[in-house]
């Protein structure tokens, strides 16, 4: 049993922690406050943390300036599609790499996981040229197809699959189950936590993706929200209230989503430690 | 021989299961990577045909003052953000790990929020905080008598602003990694130190810090790579300016490719980045083999 | 003959060196019998079992089931079922679904699946627990589910891979009887792997003792205990004392072994060893009697009590002989109710019938 320090130590430390927590989240608080302010309030000094009245018109204003709805839908669609495809292809690959024995398997594993060493910036230019030559620029395909599988996801799932006792598989084999049957009725149901963690990482990473849509999409019809919102900063005439309203629309859904799934998310990082 | 047939069937199943992932990874990562090397020996703007120019892209890169400038800007950024974000991340981990602290989960979650939000949106929000006339940061600084700073338009401060965002965005991630590392340290060491009457600071120096070194090394590598790749904040907020003060290497690469359409030259830059990061990873890898196996 | 192993050999190759896990095992298992493969870990018993199951392919030799060569058939086409050491129950399925798993794959009508599943759950005594998940069951109940899941497939051969090793001692004893009861009721040819000799003795029709990939002896529990063919078997099955010597007289009914270090000769039940060759007398601890009754028919040796333990029903002695060797003896007849003293002289008697010779 460890001793609990006195109040004189605990209270100041609580104050320190809470202060840091507020500071870290201050940008979001300030964003929300501003998003609901009336244009005239924004320039008051000292800054006011509580608006005189809640003004929802900023959200409509932001939507008018850029096609926010379209961008949000595109991001949702792309991130979900990528996640679903990765669920399929990553788990396929992870199963082959963890449960089936064949020549060259370990080499393929190295090849697949080796892509973790290649930062996307390095392949940005040639990848752009390739998709341009394939006529994929300005489409959903260009945002989805290159990311159908990921080294991170394969690695995570493979580690998990390796932990499933071999005897379970043998019990199923002796009962007459084939590889595909085992994969769908034994391996996948038992791997729900890992599949869920991988899906969360993938979805959030692609919702937040900026660089690839920036270079591969110029048509607003296919543009994703992160690039869309950055257009707000370049225009000097845009109001700060609109900008913050647009930011709130981009960020708040993800934060709320994160609060629901944070446990799995943070534990996933501690386990894998290889993805933001 | 039936023996062979069973093996072959398993191998066939294996290849079928891995092939979709293998094809996409090769097609969209290895093939482009190889192409980067290839294109870096050509002059090419997508409009006129490619022209082989040997090592010209590399020579002009290494003699370009812009290239060296962007490299030095990047290294200054790395040199500041790596130690600071690791230090704060560790500090937060130690605080959140205090055994008597209530609401650990909530603190951990809130410290982590910046990590899951997008850099693009964060940059928009921070631009508002950095605003020079009524921005929140300058208002706080005015309490200490500091005159208003043009964070994003003053060449002396723009990179500092980028560093602040970069650190803010990463401390939660580093904290979580350190927390994981702290859980691995056996409690018995601390109990033994308690019996010896060691102070908390002494315990940190003689137990926590040395036993945490594998985690620290890992966090350092991850943070180095992340800092080296800084792009979104620059792209959204300053576009390399003012006066090229935030012209980091990734943005330099991006501009050469997509603004000046110098694809061959941009490819040479990406090859350079790739080699640099591989070298760094390998150095760290060797280093880690020697030191890390404490536990 | 039910199941026949014809000289099967398994060589594992790793890093260029060969490991002979199973070395020319030949075995015939009659239909309906329960045969135990017994031996220390690494003796090849599990590998043999896995070759019968089809999880490993023999490097040499063949496996026959009711005359049909099944050596290279995949596990699911052999009509064989297996109870795994860890039970290998599917954790995401209920008891019922676990038992029905294999039947469903066979595309049998839903009613038949339900009926057979229920019958099997009744047979192993799990009625009322059908909807539970494995993690809501005790170890013994999980074991029963594993048994039901194997039996429901109506296999020609049932394999057991150390099925009781995860249970506590008490449960192990009752499950042992339960497995034997169900096996006899269903009359399924069974191969049972264990490293526990008591388990093997209590459950088997035939025990096959293995060491380093080879069969050391096969026989009924009675035979391997009373007539071990070599020191390994004598030592592995139960406790044993060895008295070293040289074989002397030869006749089929009895033998004499002379120990030069003890300066004594002993009368033995058998004469396995040629005259003049080194021999070992096998004497079980319970074969000694410590009574002082003079009987010239009996073999006897004298020694000093090194230590003893009083175990309620009996006393366990460690006695040191003049040549320095040590004898382990049990005394059940504690009529005098008086404990010996350490250092006391004791004379140990054993009959000719209890002296079994093996090659030294």
């Amino acid at each position: 049993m460890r001793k609990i320090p006195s109040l004189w130590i605990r209270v100041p430390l609580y104050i320190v922690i809470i202060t840091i927590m507020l500071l870290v989240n201050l940008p979001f608080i300030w964003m929300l406050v501003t998003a609901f302010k009336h244009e005239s309030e924004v320039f008051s000094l000292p800054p006011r943390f509580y608006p005189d009245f809640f003004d929802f018109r900023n959200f409509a204003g932001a939507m008018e300036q850029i096609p926010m709805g379209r961008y949000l839908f595109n991001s949702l669609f792309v991130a979900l599609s990528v996640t679903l495809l990765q669920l399929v292809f990553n788990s396929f690959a992870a199963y082959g790499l963890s449960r089936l024995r064949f020549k060259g398997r370990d080499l393929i594993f190295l090849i697949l996981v080796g892509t973790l060493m290649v930062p996307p910036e390095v392949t940005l230019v040639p990848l752009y040229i390739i998709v341009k030559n394939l006529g994929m620029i300005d489409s959903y395909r260009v945002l989805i197809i290159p990311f159908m599988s990921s080294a991170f996801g394969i690695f995570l799932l493979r580690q998990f699959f390796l932990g499933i006792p071999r005897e379970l598989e043998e019990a199923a084999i002796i009962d007459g189950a084939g590889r595909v049957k085992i994969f769908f009725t034994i391996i996948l149901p038992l791997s729900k936590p890992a599949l869920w963690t991988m899906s969360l990482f993938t979805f959030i990473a692609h919702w937040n993706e900026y660089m690839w849509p920036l270079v591969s999409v110029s048509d607003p019809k296919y543009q994703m929200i992160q690039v869309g919102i950055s257009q707000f900063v370049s225009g000097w005439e845009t109001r700060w209230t609109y900008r913050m309203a647009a930011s709130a629309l981009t960020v708040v859904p993800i934060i709320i989503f994160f609060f629901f799934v944070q446990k799995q998310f943070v534990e996933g990082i501690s386990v894998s430690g290889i993805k933001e | 021989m039936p023996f062979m047939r069973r093996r072959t069937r398993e191998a066939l199943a294996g290849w079928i299961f891995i092939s979709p992932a293998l094809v996409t990874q090769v097609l969209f990562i290895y093939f482009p990577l190889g192409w980067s090397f290839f294109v870096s020996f050509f002059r090419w703007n997508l409009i006129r045909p490619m022209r082989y120019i040997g090592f010209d892209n590399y020579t002009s890169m290494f003699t370009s003052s812009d290239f060296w400038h962007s490299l030095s800007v990047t290294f200054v950024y790395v040199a500041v953000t790596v130690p600071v974000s690791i230090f704060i991340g560790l500090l937060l981990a130690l605080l959140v790990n205090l055994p008597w602290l209530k609401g650990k989960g909530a603190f951990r979650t809130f410290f982590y929020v910046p990590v899951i939000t997008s850099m693009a949106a964060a940059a928009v929000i921070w631009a508002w905080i950095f605003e020079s006339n009524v921005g929140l940061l300058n208002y706080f600084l005015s309490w200490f008598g500091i005159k208003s700073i043009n964070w994003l338009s003053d060449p002396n401060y723009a990179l500092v602003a980028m560093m602040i965002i970069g650190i803010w965005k990463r401390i939660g991630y580093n904290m979580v990694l350190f927390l994981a590392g702290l859980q691995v340290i056996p409690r018995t060491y601390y109990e033994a130190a308690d019996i010896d009457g060691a102070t908390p600071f002494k315990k940190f120096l003689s137990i926590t810090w040395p036993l945490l070194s594998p985690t620290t090394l890992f966090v350092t590598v991850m943070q180095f790579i992340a800092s080296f790749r800084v792009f979104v904040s620059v792209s959204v907020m300053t576009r390399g300016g003012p006066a090229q003060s935030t012209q980091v290497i990734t943005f330099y690469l991006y501009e050469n490719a997509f603004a000046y359409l110098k694809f061959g030259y941009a490819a040479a830059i990406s090859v350079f980045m790739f080699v640099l990061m591989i070298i760094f990873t390998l150095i760290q890898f060797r280093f880690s083999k020697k030191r890390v196996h404490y536990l | 003959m039910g199941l026949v192993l014809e000289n099967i050999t398994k060589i594992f190759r790793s890093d260029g060196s060969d490991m002979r896990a199973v070395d020319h095992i030949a075995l015939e298992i009659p239909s309906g019998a329960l045969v135990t493969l017994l031996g220390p870990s690494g003796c090849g018993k599990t590998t043999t079992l896995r070759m019968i199951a089809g999880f490993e392919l023999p490097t040499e030799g063949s496996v026959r089931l009711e005359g049909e060569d099944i050596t290279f058939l995949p596990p699911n086409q052999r009509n064989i079922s297996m109870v795994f050491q860890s039970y290998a129950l599917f954790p995401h399925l209920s008891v019922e679904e676990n038992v029905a798993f294999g039947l469903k794959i066979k595309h049998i009508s839903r009613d038949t699946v339900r009926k057979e599943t229920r019958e099997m759950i009744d047979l192993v005594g799990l009625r009322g627990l059908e909807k539970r998940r494995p993690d809501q069951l005790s170890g013994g109940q999980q074991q029963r589910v594993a048994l039901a899941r194997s039996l429901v497939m109506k296999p020609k051969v049932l394999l057991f891979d150390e099925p009781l090793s995860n249970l506590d001692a008490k449960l192990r004893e009752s499950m042992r009887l339960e497995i034997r009861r169900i096996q006899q009721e269903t009359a399924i040819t069974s191969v049972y792997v264990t490293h526990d000799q008591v388990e093997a003795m209590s459950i088997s029709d035939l025990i096959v003792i293995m060491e380093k990939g080879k069969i050391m002896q096969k026989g009924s529990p009675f035979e391997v205990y009373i007539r071990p063919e070599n020191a390994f078997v004598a030592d592995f099955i139960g406790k044993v004392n060895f008295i070293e010597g040289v074989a002397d007289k030869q006749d089929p009914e009895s033998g004499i072994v002379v120990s030069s270090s003890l300066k004594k000769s002993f009368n033995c039940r058998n004469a396995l060893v040629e005259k003049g060759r080194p021999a070992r007398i096998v004497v079980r601890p319970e074969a000694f009697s410590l009574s002082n009754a003079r009987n010239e028919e009996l073999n006897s040796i004298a020694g000093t009590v090194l230590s003893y333990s009083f175990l309620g029903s009996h006393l366990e002695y460690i006695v040191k002989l003049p040549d320095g060797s040590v004898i382990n003896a049990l005394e059940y007849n504690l009529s005098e109710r008086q404990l010996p003293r350490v250092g006391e002289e004791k004379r140990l008697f054993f009959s000719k019938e209890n002296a079994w010779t093996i090659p030294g």
Side-chain angles (χ1 to χ4, degrees), chain B residues 184-201:
Chain B
V184 183
I185 301 176
R187 278 184 65 153
T188 45
Y189 290 141
Y190 293 105
E191 283 159 6
D194 280 338
I195 292 167
D196 295 346
T199 61
F201 184 65

Side-chain angles (χ1 to χ4, degrees), chain B residues 160-198:
Chain B
V160 179
M162 298 301 114
M163 291 169 177
I164 292 173
I165 305 177
I167 293 164
W168 169 81
K169 188 88 168 57
R170 282 289 288 203
I171 49 178
Y173 179 72
N174 293 343
M175 173 197 72
V176 167
L177 291 184
F178 275 122
L179 272 174
L182 287 172
Q183 308 314 312
V184 183
I185 301 176
R187 278 184 65 153
T188 45
Y189 290 141
Y190 293 105
E191 283 159 6
D194 280 338
I195 292 167
D196 295 346

Side-chain angles (χ1 to χ4, degrees), chain A residues 101 165-178 181 185-187 189-190, chain C residues 50 53 55 75-76 80-82 84-86 88-92 101-102 105 149 153:
Chain A
R101 280 171 294 188
R166 205 163 184 106
E167 285 195 340
L168 281 185
E169 215 175 337
E170 289 177 345
I173 288 174
I174 218 164
D175 271 356
K181 182 111 194 160
T185 59
I186 310 290
I187 303 286
L190 289 178
Chain C
R50 291 174 63 81
F55 293 133
N76 54 345
I80 279 178
S81 210
M82 183 151 166
F84 292 87
Q85 182 169 16
S86 63
L89 300 179
F90 305 125
H92 57 299
F101 184 85
I105 290 172
R149 187 179 63 185
M153 300 301 286

Side-chain angles (χ1 to χ4, degrees), chain A residues 2 4-5 9-10 13-14 16-18 20-21 23-28 30-31 34 42-47 49 89-90 92-93 95-97 99-103 108 110-112 114-115 117-133 145-146 148-151 154 166 179-180 183 204 208 210-211 214-215 226-227 229-230 232-233 240 243-244 247 250-251 254-255 258-259 262-263 265-267 269-270 272-276, chain B residues 7 9-11 13-18 20-22 24-33 35-36 39 44 46 91-92 95-96 98-102 105-129 131 133-136 139-140 168-171 173 176-177 180 187 190-191 194 203 218 222 226 229 231-232 235-237 239 250 253-254 257-258 263 266-267 270-271 273-274 277-278 281-282:
Chain A
R2 290 175 83 180
I4 292 176
I9 295 174
R10 278 187 291 156
L13 275 172
Y14 267 111
V16 168
I17 296 174
I18 291 171
I20 300 176
M21 188 186 78
L23 276 178
V24 165
N25 286 283
L26 188 63
F28 301 115
W30 192 231
M31 165 195 78
T34 310
V42 168
F43 292 99
S44 69
L45 269 174
F49 266 89
F89 293 140
N90 288 350
F92 272 20
Y95 180 62
L97 291 171
R99 297 314 229 169
L100 301 174
R101 280 171 294 188
F102 55 94
K103 232 182 180 170
I108 290 169
L110 282 182
I111 290 174
L112 287 177
T115 59
M117 302 257 287
V118 186
E121 294 79 13
V122 172
T123 53
L124 184 69
V125 172
L127 194 57
Y128 170 77
I129 295 168
I130 291 167
V131 295
K132 194 173 166 66
N133 283 332
I145 291 176
M148 290 194 302
S149 69
S150 81
I154 293 169
R166 205 163 184 106
R179 310 229 174 272
V180 176
F183 179 66
I204 291 185
N208 288 345
Y210 172 83
M211 195 189 236
L214 177 71
V215 305
Q226 308 303 346
V227 178
I229 193 176
S230 70
F232 258 116
V233 174
W240 282 111
R243 290 179 184 171
M244 291 306 114
S247 303
T250 314
V251 159
I254 278 292
I255 294 179
F258 171 67
F259 282 151
Q262 51 88 17
K263 201 161 175 241
F265 204 84
V266 174
E267 273 161 16
I269 294 171
S270 317
S272 61
I274 50 171
K275 187 90 178 182
E276 266 171 71
Chain B
R7 280 284 165 81
R9 219 165 354 149
E10 184 160 352
W15 282 99
I16 291 171
F17 272 110
I18 57 159
L22 189 64
T24 41
Q25 298 279 299
V26 168
L27 201 62
F28 296 114
I29 295 178
Y30 283 104
F31 183 56
L33 185 65
W35 242 45
S36 262
V39 172
W44 193 27
L46 286 189
L91 188 73
L92 291 183
L95 284 174
V96 171
L98 286 171
W100 46 266
L101 188 77
K102 298 209 169 72
F107 286 123
R108 195 182 62 174
T109 307
F110 276 104
F111 286 139
Y112 202 76
V113 171
V115 183
I116 53 110
T117 50
S118 72
M119 192 49 139
V124 176
I125 299 164
W126 274 94
W128 174 218
I129 288 172
E131 210 275 341
N133 296 315
V134 292
L136 212 50
Y139 172 68
F140 285 145
W168 169 81
K169 188 88 168 57
R170 282 289 288 203
I171 49 178
Y173 179 72
V176 167
L177 291 184
R187 278 184 65 153
Y190 293 105
E191 283 159 6
D194 280 338
K203 278 190 273 186
F218 182 69
M222 302 303 287
R229 291 174 47 198
F231 175 76
V232 183
S235 168
V236 175
M237 296 173 85
R239 311 203 60 77
T250 48
L253 161 73
Y254 169 78
F258 300 101
F263 283 101
S270 29
V271 169
M273 275 184 71
F274 180 63
M277 284 171 75
I278 291 287
T281 313
L282 290 182

Side-chain angles (χ1 to χ4, degrees), chain C residues 89-278:
Chain C
L89 300 179
F90 305 125
H92 57 299
L93 302 180
S94 69
V95 168
E96 214 169 33
E97 289 166 328
N98 262 289
V99 176
F101 184 85
L103 292 179
K104 280 184 184 160
I105 290 172
K106 278 171 140 185
H107 300 294
I108 299 169
S109 82
R110 198 166 295 195
D111 287 339
T112 321
V113 170
R114 199 174 302 141
K115 189 175 136 280
E116 290 184 9
T117 305
R118 174 149 320 156
E119 275 174 19
M120 217 33 82
I121 288 174
D122 282 350
L123 179 71
V124 298
L126 283 178
R127 179 177 281 188
L129 302 176
E130 291 91 341
K131 303 288 174 203
R132 296 250 184 118
R133 294 280 168 94
D135 60 358
Q136 298 166 316
L137 299 175
S138 70
Q141 289 167 335
Q142 291 184 23
Q143 174 67 73
R144 285 161 196 268
V145 179
L147 197 55
R149 187 179 63 185
S150 306
L151 288 169
V152 82
M153 300 301 286
K154 304 226 160 59
K156 285 184 186 154
V157 178
L158 186 52
L159 307 177
F160 294 87
D161 184 12
E162 308 233 9
L164 303 180
S165 59
N166 289 332
L167 300 177
D168 62 55
K170 255 217 159 99
L171 203 53
R172 214 156 37 215
E173 264 177 55
S174 63
M175 275 313 291
R176 200 150 84 192
L177 297 174
E178 186 77 359
I179 288 178
R180 183 59 166 160
R181 171 183 73 82
I182 292 171
Q183 191 266 334
Q184 284 180 333
E185 248 173 64
T186 51
I188 296 178
T189 312
S190 302
V191 183
Y192 191 106
V193 160
T194 182
H195 63 268
D196 180 338
Q197 45 108 0
V198 179
E199 196 171 303
M201 300 278 283
S202 68
I203 201 173
S204 321
D205 294 311
L206 184 74
I207 296 183
V208 178
I209 296 155
M210 292 178 67
E211 161 70 347
K212 292 184 180 142
K214 291 194 164 105
I215 294 182
M216 303 306 286
Q217 187 174 354
K218 50 193 167 193
S220 71
F222 184 76
E223 274 170 348
V224 294
Y225 189 77
I226 297 297
R227 291 192 282 273
E229 286 170 7
N230 48 53
F232 179 82
V233 171
D235 196 31
F236 196 79
I237 302 275
K239 282 192 177 171
V240 76
N241 296 295
F242 291 125
I243 299 170
E244 312 280 344
V246 175
D248 187 13
K249 202 187 96 184
Q250 284 279 16
D251 87 60
E253 288 304 305
S254 66
I256 290 175
V257 172
V258 179
S259 163
S260 55
S261 60
L262 293 172
K263 299 188 186 71
K264 266 187 101 64
S265 66
F266 301 96
N267 293 315
C268 302
R269 173 157 52 112
N270 64 331
L272 260 184
V273 186
E274 250 176 78
K275 185 176 173 174
R277 309 279 299 176

